[in-house]
Amino acid sequence: MQTFWSHCCREYFYDSELLMFCILIVASFQISFWTLNAALIYLDTHKTRFDKYRIQSNKPKVSLQPELVSKIRKSIVKYTITASLFTPILYLLLNIKGRVDMRGPTPPITTIIWQTLLFIFTEDTLFYWGHYLLHHKSLYKFHKEHHTYQQPIGIVAVLSDPLESLIQIQSAVWLAAALLPHKHIFTLMVWIIIRVHQTVYAHGGYNIPYVHMKHYIPSLFLGCKPHDYHHRVGKYNYGSFFSFWDKVMGTYKEPDTE
Ligand SMILES: [Zn+2]
Ligand SMILES: [Zn+2]
């Protein structure tokens, strides 16, 4: 059956599902990462009406000084090389149990929603425990680089040791998809965009109302203030999407309650 996806594969990716997977996964990450960060960099380098939502407003804005730009540039090059090598391996891993559908029709919205929710819940649990363990003194050396800045901005979301990135972050992001028998490339692209938005916003330094689910269901979601606080003090709030595990384990701290 001729579908939009099979047409794209044949016309634009030399009929190679592997090539199509790698380009669409990397593009979903890069486009969502840089779109959101462009907006955050604009806020950090201009005086705007969003200044009143800055989390660490008692400190000056993080300007893009040469030392920060150089560190971020190195980190982004390192991240891009690691991701480029990892993406073809990811394609093989996702096809061990079940397969990634690269040519079938776009799944129904209900399938996209339940699969994405499964990815979110699995990632949140694995991320919490991996992050919690990385703060143990014997493992902290792998996580130290991510904590270089106590006043984070969106682009520092990728500041991490390649080992931390592959073992802790990528395994949490992809485990549920690897175990799922049938997953469509479109659902995986939606998942990446949601995950990138979550992590960049958590490091963004702005608590802007209405743009995050935390605004609507504050008791369920972690949001950006707790992760900003995690960077400021180097402990508490180890989760990604939800505050559930932090509350169960007694590691939750809402910065306003200091
Ligand atoms: Zn940490
Ligand atoms: Zn962080």
Side-chain angles (χ1 to χ4, degrees), residues 11 14 24 39 75 77 96 114 121 127 130 134 150 156 166 170 190 194 197 201 207 227 248 252 256:
E11 291 296 316
Y14 306 101
L24 291 183
S75 184
V77 169
I96 290 174
W114 79 255
F121 287 120
F127 184 92
L134 282 170
Q150 291 177 328
V156 311
L166 280 179
Q170 300 298 339
V190 169
I194 291 171
H197 177 274
Y201 188 71
N207 187 31
H227 194 73
V248 168
Y252 178 69
D256 288 338

Side-chain angles (χ1 to χ4, degrees), residues 131 135 140 143 146-147 227 230 238:
H131 190 191
H135 274 263
Y140 189 68
H143 185 50
H146 184 69
H147 278 276
H227 194 73
H230 174 77
Y238 300 104

Side-chain angles (χ1 to χ4, degrees), residues 165-184:
S165 173
L166 280 179
I167 295 171
Q168 193 244 335
I169 301 172
Q170 300 298 339
S171 62
V173 168
W174 295 112
L175 182 73
L179 297 176
L180 205 59
H182 191 269
K183 48 264 171 175
H184 195 280

Side-chain angles (χ1 to χ4, degrees), residues 44 50-62 150-152 205-207 225 228 232 256:
D44 265 332
F50 291 100
D51 286 354
K52 60 179 178 284
Y53 301 124
R54 285 183 63 228
I55 298 170
Q56 298 193 38
S57 55
N58 57 333
K59 296 178 187 166
K61 284 186 180 183
V62 178
Q150 291 177 328
Q151 187 183 356
Y206 287 82
N207 187 31
K225 274 171 89 177
D228 188 277
R232 186 145 47 102
D256 288 338

Side-chain angles (χ1 to χ4, degrees), residues 184-235:
H184 195 280
I185 182 64
F186 182 70
T187 313
L188 300 181
M189 290 163 69
V190 169
W191 165 226
I192 289 177
I193 292 165
I194 291 171
R195 180 64 176 82
V196 169
H197 177 274
Q198 182 277 324
T199 190
V200 172
Y201 188 71
H203 294 90
Y206 287 82
N207 187 31
I208 300 169
Y210 306 109
V211 300
H212 193 277
M213 286 301 291
K214 169 95 170 180
H215 179 83
Y216 306 98
I217 320 175
S219 58
L220 191 62
F221 289 90
L222 204 53
C224 55
K225 274 171 89 177
H227 194 73
D228 188 277
Y229 185 73
H230 174 77
H231 276 264
R232 186 145 47 102
V233 301
K235 54 184 175 177

